[in-house]
Amino acid sequence: MAGRNHLYIPGPTNVPNEILNAMHVAMEDHRSPVFPKLLTPLLEDLKKIFRTETGQAFIYPATGTAGWEIALTNTLNPGDKVLIYRFGQFSHLWAEMAKRLGFEVEIHQVPWGMGIPLDQLEARLKEDSDHTIKAVLATHNETATGVTSDIAGVRKAMDAASHPAFLFVDGVSSIASLEFRMDEWGVDGAISGSQKGFMLPAGGAFVAFSQKALAAVETSTYPRCFLDLKDQMTNNANGYTPYTPNLPLLYGLRKALDMLLEEGLENVYARHHRLAEGTRRAVAAWGMKECAQPGFASDTVTAVVVSEDKDARTVISTAFSKYNISLGAGLSEVAGKVFRIGHVGDMNDVSMLGAIAGVEMALLDSGFDIVPGSGVAAAIEYYRSTVK
Ligand code: PLP
């Protein structure tokens, strides 16, 4: 089909041409004396995206899933208890991983569409007066449901309970696109991946650890090898990596960081908010509902619920086969019940309108009773009235 396939999935996201070009490099010797000139500034600038001055950032040739494992296995001891609220496929998978790694996992089920219940968290931590819970695992942006949780609020709840557990945050679909403030929010381990807000291909796990978490790396007895932060720390200190780095990804990351920092993180957050708000207005104009309940709507992905007599998979397959656009599928519990529109990464008003128009056509073709042009009109009005 002529024209580009447009990715309106919440990752991998569209990779800008500047980044594609920057990644088109010949291989180099990663033990050469010049390699540190690439890596050391990357690690420093990555900290700016995590908003940490006191923490340390790391790059693994892996994906976000590895980030979960890095946080757990580098700081905890075998059998330690962790607490997690499960409200979507990704918080579910992190909980399952913790179980498979032999940790004791206290799972609190939250209806999909809601985020972390702060009052309940505070009450539970107050109850845990012996501090048996060693880490709180928080999914900042649950990509499956389009729900953002309040991480500043999680920190407040932990402080109100005077609880010393680590705070580990999955920011795979939030960091570099939604407001994220590692130091201010007292996050001990922040986890992200290359293929969403960073606008890169998958294959980079980007993590940042607080000094408290780094101290635990020294004492943790959990067996680990490839993901051992000690190896990263030793090698990174001299500007090298413990194993062969993914060079094109590092060059792409250089460009991505330059682009994000040039735009300014506050502007990046504001852009994602506008893109999301226009999408939400379109959804409302179609007379449809978001999966996210009020107060939890994500600015990187909107999960749209279809009525019970419809299958969201039809919308997704129609959009792909007829209009060459890719939408996110409903995962697990919400398979067939929602489709997801990603508004994350290299997007602007016009690309978002393309997504909304494509969805609208696919909805009409799939027999949805919506007014043609209604979603596009609502988004256009919003974008025009808020453009600077
Ligand atoms: N966490 C969240 C919130 C995600 O959205 C994803 C992937 O979409 C992951 C973790 C897993 O990341 P990866 O697929 O890069 O391993």
Side-chain angles (χ1 to χ4, degrees):
M1 198 182 277
R4 243 183 143 133
N5 167 253
H6 293 277
L7 284 177
Y8 300 122
I9 54 174
T13 61
N14 300 290
V15 180
N17 287 344
E18 296 95 307
I19 294 182
L20 287 173
N21 291 338
M23 293 181 66
H24 196 70
V25 289
M27 288 304 103
E28 292 169 23
D29 174 11
H30 58 291
R31 305 278 175 226
S32 82
V34 295
F35 182 76
K37 290 199 176 80
L38 172 65
L39 185 69
T40 305
L42 274 183
L43 293 172
E44 272 312 301
D45 285 345
L46 201 47
K47 285 169 52 176
K48 296 178 188 160
I49 308 293
F50 284 91
R51 312 283 298 241
T52 181
E53 287 180 9
T54 57
Q56 205 172 332
F58 301 93
I59 299 169
Y60 279 83
T63 71
T65 302
W68 290 336
E69 190 162 335
I70 292 163
L72 297 172
T73 61
N74 277 279
T75 53
L76 304 175
N77 294 313
D80 274 355
K81 187 197 272 197
V82 299
L83 173 74
I84 186 165
Y85 287 88
R86 179 164 63 188
F87 44 92
Q89 181 66 358
F90 294 100
S91 38
H92 166 71
L93 289 175
W94 199 5
E96 288 304 301
M97 168 188 278
K99 278 197 226 162
R100 284 164 69 175
L101 292 170
F103 296 105
E104 187 186 332
V105 188
E106 184 174 313
I107 301 175
H108 293 262
Q109 189 65 34
V110 174
W112 289 33
M114 314 279 283
I116 299 171
L118 302 176
D119 292 351
Q120 287 175 35
L121 172 66
E122 184 178 325
R124 175 64 191 103
L125 292 176
K126 279 185 172 154
E127 198 182 277
D128 184 42
S129 51
D130 295 342
H131 299 158
T132 58
I133 296 167
K134 299 301 178 198
V136 172
L137 314 185
T139 303
H140 186 198
N141 191 74
E142 179 45 88
T143 323
T145 53
V147 157
T148 302
S149 282
D150 174 5
I151 301 301
V154 170
R155 167 46 65 201
K156 241 171 139 183
M158 293 175 74
D159 288 350
S162 302
H163 202 291
F166 290 116
L167 171 56
F168 294 143
V169 179
D170 172 346
V172 172
S173 58
S174 65
I175 292 170
S177 40
L178 304 187
E179 183 182 21
F180 189 87
R181 299 180 189 276
M182 176 162 171
D183 284 357
E184 207 178 303
W185 297 347
V187 174
D188 294 301
I191 297 147
S192 198
S194 50
Q195 75 275 23
K196 300 187 195 273
F198 287 95
M199 306 172 286
L200 291 161
F206 307 145
V207 297
F209 270 51
S210 69
Q211 290 303 322
K212 177 178 160 190
L214 289 172
V217 176
E218 300 300 328
T219 55
S220 155
T221 58
Y222 199 94
R224 54 193 187 266
C225 178
F226 178 68
L227 299 180
D228 198 335
L229 270 177
K230 281 192 204 165
D231 297 332
Q232 288 280 6
M233 284 192 273
T234 312
N235 284 271
N236 289 177
N238 303 317
Y240 294 98
T241 56
Y243 19 70
T244 317
N246 181 343
L247 266 177
L249 196 90
L250 296 187
Y251 278 104
L253 177 59
R254 179 65 273 157
K255 191 70 198 173
L257 293 176
D258 291 345
M259 289 170 73
L260 289 165
L261 295 172
E262 191 189 319
E263 183 176 357
L265 288 177
E266 301 301 334
N267 294 330
V268 170
Y269 307 151
R271 176 166 55 83
H272 281 84
H273 177 69
R274 279 186 74 250
L275 294 173
E277 188 54 34
T279 308
R280 290 190 281 265
R281 303 253 173 141
V283 172
W286 293 327
M288 298 178 80
K289 294 251 173 305
E290 298 158 41
C291 181
Q293 297 304 305
F296 291 109
S298 160
D299 283 346
T300 53
V301 53
T302 298
V304 185
V305 181
V306 303
S307 54
E308 275 178 16
D309 59 327
K310 294 275 191 306
D311 189 333
R313 285 169 281 224
T314 314
V315 181
I316 297 165
S317 60
T318 305
F320 185 75
S321 61
K322 285 192 170 172
Y323 304 114
N324 203 14
I325 69 169
S326 296
L327 303 171
L331 303 172
S332 166
E333 262 187 44
V334 287
K337 297 181 183 161
V338 307
F339 63 87
R340 295 176 298 149
I341 306 173
H343 26 80
V344 46
D346 186 40
M347 303 270 291
N348 61 21
D349 295 357
V350 174
S351 44
M352 206 60 240
L353 285 168
I356 293 166
V359 171
E360 194 159 303
M361 290 192 287
L363 287 170
L364 287 163
D365 294 348
S366 308
F368 282 73
D369 184 20
I370 62 166
V371 178
S374 54
V376 173
I380 284 176
E381 269 322 291
Y382 174 74
Y383 291 143
R384 285 185 55 239
S385 64
T386 55
V387 72
K388 290 217 177 96

